[in-house]
Amino acid sequence: MKKVLILGGTGDAVKLAAKLATIPEIAIISSLAGRTKTPSALVGEVRIGGFGGTDGLANFLKENAIDFLIDATHPCAGQITMNGAIAVKAANIPHLMLVRPQWEKVSGDNWIEVESVAAAAQAIPASINRVFITSGRQQLEPFLQRSQFHPETWYLMRSIDPPDIELPNSEVLLDRGPFSLEQERHLLRKYQIQAIVSKNSGGDATYAKIIAARELGIPIIMVQRPVMPEGEKATSIEATISWLNLKTSKLGGAK
């Protein structure tokens, strides 16, 4: 029996856990940070909460005799990804980062590319008065600060759980993707959105907003991904299982 720790929190992590659960030789532990109050249902053992930094994660790997660490966190969750890359060296176990390809700008896209959510708030043009925030409920402080200097700006925010910070002159939509192109077109038109703030998450679940913005000529302030640490990477669940196949003969029959 091989033990796999999945650093989760994404749809990819949920699907990966379900696939690995069908393999008798594998025991899965999925780890969630606990930031989402209503996470997607996961197959297998689940732990919630942080590890206490790099040392805490390394200790968890050793104490629980983890054989493999798979990082399937959000592509923009830079700190836990960096912690994982360091912790596996101390624990001396194989490590894979499941990283879905990022979105690439195509003809018709109007992106303002920035390095952080704080920079995104600062990059909103003064002429923009209606902003759709899709960069997460936990990083709203920069927009709260911006509202002090631009009180005329109205914000629409979409998240799975209610935000901890209430922005003045705003509305919150509680929803979970995937979202269809027709849904996103309707939303942008209904709320007369003039700009979108998004992280470059990649994947299909929320890409419809990128297409809708392109069609409607709406600029996107796109927060780029943090630099990934060195290490083995896969871009799909299938490639991740193939990696496990290569690492242990006990998974020779997995598909």
Side-chain angles (χ1 to χ4, degrees):
M1 181 69 69
K2 297 294 183 180
K3 297 179 73 172
V4 178
L5 175 64
I6 301 174
L7 301 180
T10 63
D12 290 336
V14 174
K15 294 174 184 176
L16 177 62
K19 289 274 191 180
L20 294 183
T22 65
I23 303 172
E25 298 87 356
I26 289 292
I28 312 160
I29 303 175
S30 293
S31 176
L32 305 178
R35 294 173 181 171
T36 301
K37 298 175 184 177
T38 54
S40 299
L42 280 160
V43 177
E45 182 180 343
V46 179
R47 71 171 299 279
I48 297 177
F51 292 96
T54 303
D55 291 342
L57 177 54
N59 290 336
F60 181 91
L61 296 173
K62 295 174 184 177
E63 291 169 2
N64 290 273
I66 301 298
D67 295 291
F68 303 100
L69 175 66
I70 298 177
D71 180 354
T73 57
H74 192 282
C76 295
Q79 189 59 60
I80 184 60
T81 293
M82 193 64 69
N83 288 352
I86 297 172
V88 292
K89 293 180 180 179
N92 193 29
I93 64 170
H95 169 227
L96 182 73
M97 290 169 272
L98 173 54
V99 187
R100 56 184 180 240
Q102 65 180 4
W103 297 322
E104 299 294 341
K105 184 163 57 174
V106 302
S107 177
D109 284 332
N110 180 6
W111 291 4
I112 302 170
E113 297 176 275
V114 296
E115 297 298 319
S116 66
V117 173
Q122 295 175 2
I124 299 172
S127 59
I128 296 294
N129 291 324
R130 298 182 71 81
V131 179
F132 183 24
I133 301 173
T134 66
S135 52
R137 66 182 181 88
Q138 298 181 40
Q139 294 178 290
L140 295 180
E141 185 65 35
F143 301 100
L144 183 62
Q145 295 175 0
R146 183 183 184 278
S147 68
Q148 298 174 12
F149 301 97
H150 298 277
E152 72 286 353
T153 304
W154 181 86
Y155 299 96
L156 176 67
M157 210 212 90
R158 182 169 65 193
S159 66
I160 297 172
D161 296 316
D164 297 327
I165 293 177
E166 183 176 347
L167 290 177
N169 201 24
S170 67
E171 181 175 336
V172 176
L173 297 178
L174 299 181
D175 207 351
R176 187 195 299 267
F179 304 103
S180 71
L181 179 55
E182 186 54 41
Q183 284 177 305
E184 298 296 59
R185 286 192 193 113
H186 175 74
L187 182 147
L188 295 178
R189 287 170 174 152
K190 175 183 177 181
Y191 290 99
Q192 301 178 317
I193 298 301
Q194 297 174 326
I196 299 173
V197 176
S198 174
K199 292 179 178 178
N200 195 329
S201 304
D204 298 328
T206 61
Y207 187 67
K209 69 185 175 189
I210 308 299
I211 301 174
R214 183 187 308 141
E215 292 179 349
L216 299 173
I218 296 172
I220 299 178
I221 302 167
M222 187 69 76
V223 180
Q224 300 303 291
R225 297 180 179 185
V227 176
M228 295 285 292
E230 294 295 324
E232 295 184 270
K233 299 177 178 68
T235 59
S236 69
I237 293 169
E238 292 73 19
T240 300
I241 296 176
S242 294
W243 176 84
L244 281 170
N245 273 319
L246 291 173
K247 294 296 180 181
T248 171
S249 60
K250 289 186 178 181
L251 292 180
K255 300 294 184 183

